[in-house]
Amino acid sequence: MANKDPIRVGILFSESGATSTIGLSQLQGALLAVDEINDTGGIDGRELQPVHYDPESNPARYADLTERLIHRDGVNVIFGCYMSSSRKAVIPIIEKWNKLLFYPTLYEGFEYSANVIYTGAAPNQNSVQLAEFITSNFGARVYLIGSDYIYPYESNRIMGELVLQRQGSEKLAECYVPLDATERDFADVMLDIRNKRPDFIFSTVVGDSTAALYRAYADAGFDPKTMPIASLTTSEAEISQMDRGLAAGHYTSAPYFQSIDSDANRHCLANLRRRFGDSCVPNLCWEASYFQMHIFANAMRHAGNDDILTLMPYILGSEFDAPQGRVKIDPTNHHTCLYPRIGRVNSDGQFTIVRQARRSVYPDPYLVTHSLGDWAARLDTLDKLEC
Ligand code: ACM
């Protein structure tokens, strides 16, 4: 008789702590995809059964819960993590027991694990485009500010190097605030920005403290038309925690924005509203969390079981019609072909897309093609809509 046992999958997204808003959206993206898969017969009649814990935005909790999912819950595949510090805590355990992690978040790159599938943007799919766009439109004197952990250090290093390829560039400062920073933590930074007068601020601040940065900027009386904040981590989720209009005029580079005008996106958002009402704030990490579950399910249909050795050949090279466009897992580096976009926040807290790639851009997590000049050779793939 055919096996009708449910297939357990582990889910580790934070519903509490510093990155709870974006973590909750990632959880909802994963659960939406699970519902869609189960509503259409599961995996050959077998239901996906999510086992979810809240790691509280705490890397040590991520590590403990990974052990628990593997040893107590008998899970082979885990979907999870936002902060790179949590991914770094999970990977050694995943590798030790030869399990599989799907990671749906933009990150700093310069990493490969045979046990991880990376579905968020690598730096050549967001930082390079943001550097090119912002320095062309505003200038190349940058002020770097981030949260105090590994992703901001590395992402700021990459942005600093990209910007320094421009004429007249200058790295004016690089500073860090605690993960739970409040507006007071940004007071001295704003004074320093007033003195140094950068062309733009690059923010690698993450999570709930993002709202405090934009509030401090507005209270300082700065103008995004002449000195915008450019970011990879300020999404619709962080903007939803701000007063209306606070982030208007600032820029984010991401493969997905809620405002993408396509049938696939509209259909997915309608399903989301039916399942979760208006409580979910779709964003780049929500979308990656959603489509990676479908990539897993499609591979499972071919593989028949979720052991990494059996499953991986069906994941690598696989494609899916995601809300951002058709994505593909690169078989050589386990990252994903994605569509770089630049969005400017409008007064509704949504993004007006001012530039987008016409074709997906392959992932190059080690930035082998590293310079803005290299990117310019590929600018023909970018569709300039508005600047
Ligand atoms: C991140 O920590 N990868 C946003």
Side-chain angles (χ1 to χ4, degrees):
M1 222 175 72
N3 181 357
K4 293 294 171 206
D5 293 343
I7 301 157
R8 287 183 156 198
V9 292
I11 299 191
L12 290 181
F13 293 119
S14 295
E15 293 171 88
S16 57
T19 58
S20 60
T21 306
I22 195 123
L24 177 62
S25 77
Q26 289 178 302
L27 173 62
Q28 290 170 323
L31 294 180
L32 175 65
V34 166
D35 276 2
E36 289 178 354
I37 292 156
N38 287 341
D39 286 351
T40 50
I43 314 287
D44 297 327
R46 298 177 68 189
E47 253 200 1
L48 285 185
Q49 193 176 77
V51 184
H52 170 245
Y53 299 114
D54 176 9
E56 300 163 9
S57 307
N58 176 344
R61 286 285 291 153
Y62 272 92
D64 290 348
L65 291 170
T66 301
E67 294 276 9
R68 178 167 165 165
L69 280 169
I70 292 170
H71 299 299
R72 232 180 70 176
D73 301 311
V75 151
N76 281 333
V77 182
I78 295 175
F79 301 81
C81 303
Y82 176 74
M83 282 191 283
S84 290
S85 45
S86 59
R87 186 190 71 258
K88 297 270 187 204
V90 166
I91 286 178
I93 302 162
I94 292 279
E95 288 180 340
K96 178 175 172 194
W97 301 107
N98 205 19
K99 303 298 180 188
L100 176 57
L101 171 70
F102 277 85
Y103 176 59
T105 308
L106 72 130
Y107 85 111
E108 64 279 7
F110 294 88
E111 186 181 289
Y112 167 81
S113 167
N115 295 71
V116 180
I117 296 292
Y118 304 80
T119 57
N124 79 302
Q125 297 167 312
N126 56 9
S127 307
V128 167
Q129 291 77 11
L130 188 62
E132 193 277 333
F133 178 86
I134 290 284
T135 57
S136 301
N137 287 286
F138 294 94
R141 296 171 63 257
V142 61
Y143 195 106
L144 304 158
I145 175 159
S147 302
D148 194 3
Y149 75 101
I150 180 162
Y151 160 73
Y153 306 152
E154 290 302 304
S155 187
N156 283 341
R157 176 183 63 74
I158 291 164
M159 182 55 72
E161 287 179 13
L162 290 170
V163 164
L164 288 179
Q165 295 169 30
R166 284 293 207 206
Q167 282 232 315
S169 63
E170 204 176 339
K171 192 172 115 179
L172 297 172
E174 178 173 347
C175 63
Y176 294 93
V177 294
L179 272 168
D180 60 355
T182 62
E183 201 182 329
R184 195 181 306 186
D185 292 296
F186 293 104
D188 289 345
V189 179
M190 292 304 146
L191 286 177
D192 198 32
I193 288 174
R194 189 179 300 288
N195 287 334
K196 295 199 164 110
R197 297 158 154 268
D199 295 325
F200 74 101
I201 298 163
F202 179 56
S203 165
T204 47
V205 173
V206 302
D208 299 353
S209 60
T210 307
L213 166 66
Y214 285 70
R215 164 57 53 210
Y217 174 102
D219 286 352
F222 298 139
D223 184 357
K225 287 201 189 71
T226 52
M227 185 190 67
I229 301 174
S231 177
L232 312 171
T233 47
T234 302
S235 76
E236 293 89 338
E238 288 75 21
I239 293 169
S240 74
Q241 298 184 295
M242 301 180 194
D243 293 336
R244 196 179 166 81
L246 190 66
H250 296 293
Y251 291 88
T252 294
S253 172
Y256 175 84
F257 295 113
Q258 223 181 107
S259 55
I260 289 174
D261 184 19
S262 72
D263 287 344
N265 186 37
R266 272 187 292 274
H267 176 74
C268 190
L269 292 175
N271 278 353
L272 178 76
R273 298 291 175 225
R274 263 195 299 278
R275 168 75 165 82
F276 290 108
D278 289 331
S279 70
C280 185
V281 190
N283 60 76
L284 70 164
C285 299
W286 164 82
E287 192 241 11
S289 183
Y290 168 79
F291 78 66
Q292 68 177 17
M293 186 66 78
H294 278 290
I295 289 206
F296 160 74
N298 289 344
M300 271 294 291
R301 287 191 185 97
H302 290 105
N305 78 64
D306 66 355
D307 176 79
I308 186 169
L309 291 176
T310 318
L311 191 59
M312 191 59 91
Y314 296 100
I315 296 171
L316 299 180
S318 69
E319 301 185 22
F320 183 74
D321 281 320
Q324 68 173 279
R326 192 163 181 81
V327 298
K328 177 177 179 180
I329 308 297
D330 186 290
T332 58
N333 63 32
H334 288 206
H335 290 62
T336 309
C337 300
L338 301 169
Y339 297 78
R341 289 181 166 92
I342 308 280
R344 183 176 55 224
V345 186
N346 60 36
S347 53
D348 296 330
Q350 294 294 320
F351 286 92
T352 301
I353 297 169
V354 295
R355 248 188 180 187
Q356 62 185 344
R358 231 176 274 147
R359 292 192 287 272
S360 65
V361 169
Y362 77 101
D364 180 20
Y366 287 89
L367 281 176
V368 178
T369 55
H370 194 163
S371 70
L372 288 181
D374 287 343
W375 173 250
R378 281 183 253 141
L379 267 179
D380 60 332
T381 66
L382 281 177
D383 195 9
K384 192 170 177 183
L385 296 176
E386 185 197 340
C387 273

